[in-house]
Amino acid sequence: IVCPDVDTYGPLAAAAFAPGSADPTASSPQGPTGTAPGHGANADGLPPFPIWSAVRSPGTDHPIARAMLGLLDLLDGRGTVGDVLDLIGLPPVSLRFGLSDGDIDDLTEWAQRAGVRWGLDGTHRGRQGLPVGFTAATWASGVDRLLLGATTTSDDAMVGLGDTAPVDVEGAMVGLVARLAAIIGQLRQEVSEPTSRVVDRAGRQHLSSWVEWAKQALDGLSAEQPGNDWQRRHLLDILNDLEPSI
């Protein structure tokens, strides 16, 4: 079957012919026996015609895979405001930290007010050749400003604490600030983790180390989505398939 936009029309073909069990992008709902509709005899008595897509990218319609790809991009990327907010806004990540669509809008506004530009922290920026002590306009710096603003009032005469200038936050939004701090803290931990893992004599990390890191990062940054747990299982299956070849 050839069509101009496989990502758009692929699910329709799968629904019509029943996806094959080997299709990594199959997302048909499960029947009462745990098999996808269409497997076994059809209602009209005709045999099924399983298909699978040769070109669709699992990351296109798998939010959990997109979250993992976004985290991988942060390892050697800049971690811009857009990069991090796009990652946080993915359903598995926002569900993990209890964020709504409205919360993402608030985080976007706060990032602008706190002067966040790029980089999770100084160490993350150091991978781009900058001094690790240069933390201005990083996510860590922005979170510190928001936390300070959440714990002070606009009536306070203090201009800042050390080099940190507070960003005014309404009292009702303190919980959201705390969740943002938890998210950025988790991202900083996951991004720094690969550099601390054991390497061989040539300075290379073993694939088994990367697989272990990916699984831990998956647990730390995402939650299972009701009705879409097959996506998480599929990603774990891919990671597990890598281990026998190590």
Side-chain angles (χ1 to χ4, degrees), residues 9-102:
Y9 297 104
L12 300 179
F17 294 100
S21 59
D23 183 3
T25 63
S27 57
S28 297
Q30 299 297 300
T33 61
T35 58
H39 286 267
N42 292 329
D44 54 10
L46 296 176
F49 188 75
I51 65 171
W52 68 282
S53 172
V55 296
R56 289 178 67 201
S57 168
T60 302
D61 51 6
H62 286 41
I64 191 70
R66 290 169 56 193
M68 180 56 67
L69 292 174
L71 181 59
L72 289 172
D73 286 341
L74 285 181
L75 290 179
D76 59 0
R78 289 167 56 86
T80 64
V81 173
D83 293 337
V84 174
L85 289 176
D86 286 346
L87 176 57
I88 294 174
L90 291 171
V93 182
S94 58
L95 181 62
R96 165 70 174 80
F97 293 96
L99 299 177
S100 66
D101 292 340

Side-chain angles (χ1 to χ4, degrees), residues 147-194:
L147 288 172
L148 185 59
T151 55
T152 59
T153 66
S154 57
D155 295 331
D156 289 337
M158 64 181 300
V159 175
L161 182 63
D163 295 330
T164 304
V167 174
D168 188 36
V169 176
E170 297 180 7
M173 305 296 284
V174 172
L176 183 56
V177 175
R179 277 175 281 167
L180 175 61
I183 295 171
I184 299 303
Q186 190 71 38
L187 286 175
R188 293 172 66 185
Q189 175 182 326
E190 302 301 349
V191 168
S192 64
E193 176 69 14

